[in-house]
Amino acid sequence: MEPPHNNTSKDPGRRRPWVVGISGASGTPYAASVLRGLLAAGEAVDLIVSRASRLTLLDETGITFRDAHWRGDLREWLARGADGKPGTFPVTEAELADVRYWPAGDLAAGPSSGSYAVKGMLIVPASTACVAGVALGLSKDLLQRVASVTLKERRRLVVTVRETPLNGPTLKHLVTLDEAGAVVLPASPAFYAGATHIQDLVDFVAGRVLDAAEVPHGLYRRWEGELRGGSKEEAPEAP
């Protein structure tokens, strides 16, 4: 049986990962794209998958995420495209070498302490229940606890809320998070980048998350100030 944590970092003393928390909202393809982007940029990752998100992952991808087999399940998940097609993104063991997984119920996990060195935390996607728990400081599971620690340590926290419409209490909670220093980043795809596939829309949101974390990537075509600049078709010549 595979242990829940991965301690294969080449230099544990200098390891400073991004914590990626996945809550139960719809949008697991966003999380997969962010994780692939972080790994492609050479970033270490500490992963927290909430209990509710496992149900969403199963519903959206058919993948069962298990503590004892997390590495194989993660590899299968990251290999899928946003359309659910397996093997779209080949993922190797080497690419997962610096991913460490912490069960959501492990409140004694490393990231639960402010003395555990991390760059920040990305919650992708963030459900309204997760937003409320973080805004109120409930720390009911490891994901919420790490988010609270991230805020108190004045580290970067990006909250990718995925819900519509938004009611009054959720809007107030989002304002609370903004005032506490978090980046509130709705999962809101744009179309100026010339999207032709669902993966393009997913990657746009994931790219904006990585932008907020100042992690370099090439997930979407950036606006350059020219009309139709994002179109993948050439504009017709004037008569």
Side-chain angles (χ1 to χ4, degrees):
M1 179 180 294
E2 191 169 2
H5 307 155
N6 169 44
N7 293 304
T8 59
S9 176
K10 295 180 181 178
D11 188 351
R14 298 184 63 183
R15 184 178 184 274
R16 289 188 65 227
W18 282 97
V19 180
V20 177
I22 304 171
S23 76
S26 176
T28 55
Y30 294 128
S33 183
V34 166
L35 287 167
R36 287 192 297 265
L38 288 170
L39 297 178
E43 297 285 346
V45 172
D46 275 23
L47 179 64
I48 304 170
V49 180
S50 76
R51 291 185 176 89
S53 70
R54 297 173 191 233
L55 297 176
T56 308
L57 182 63
L58 178 63
D59 185 52
E60 295 184 344
T61 69
I63 294 173
T64 301
F65 195 92
R66 301 158 292 179
D67 286 349
H69 305 280
W70 69 268
R71 186 179 297 280
D73 295 338
L74 177 63
R75 185 170 60 248
E76 181 184 0
W77 175 30
L78 296 187
R80 289 182 183 253
D83 58 2
K85 184 179 179 181
T88 301
F89 301 98
V91 179
T92 67
E93 281 293 329
E95 291 173 307
L96 299 180
D98 211 2
V99 177
R100 182 177 296 173
Y101 170 69
W102 304 94
D106 184 5
L107 291 177
S112 68
S113 171
S115 65
Y116 184 88
V118 302
K119 292 183 178 180
M121 183 179 191
L122 314 175
I123 305 179
V124 188
S127 66
T128 54
C130 173
V131 166
V134 176
L136 297 174
L138 298 182
S139 295
K140 73 171 187 176
D141 62 7
L142 181 62
L143 193 158
Q144 292 185 15
R145 168 60 185 170
V146 176
S148 294
V149 169
T150 303
L151 289 175
K152 82 178 181 68
E153 296 293 328
R154 301 298 191 266
R155 296 167 180 159
R156 181 63 55 90
L157 174 64
V158 181
V159 180
T160 309
V161 61
R162 215 306 308 165
E163 185 60 271
T164 189
L166 295 171
N167 61 17
T170 298
L171 291 169
K172 292 176 182 177
H173 291 148
L174 291 173
V175 170
T176 297
L177 291 179
D178 176 76
E179 291 175 342
V183 176
V184 176
L185 196 153
S188 179
F191 296 86
Y192 61 78
T196 60
H197 188 277
I198 186 175
Q199 188 68 55
D200 298 325
L201 298 174
V202 167
D203 286 347
F204 179 87
V205 172
R208 295 298 287 152
V209 173
L210 296 177
D211 286 346
E214 298 184 348
V215 173
H217 66 88
L219 288 177
Y220 69 88
R221 185 181 301 178
R222 298 182 182 277
W223 175 251
E224 296 179 352
E226 298 179 4
L227 294 179
R228 297 182 61 86
S231 175
K232 293 186 177 180
E233 297 181 359
E234 291 295 332
E237 293 184 3

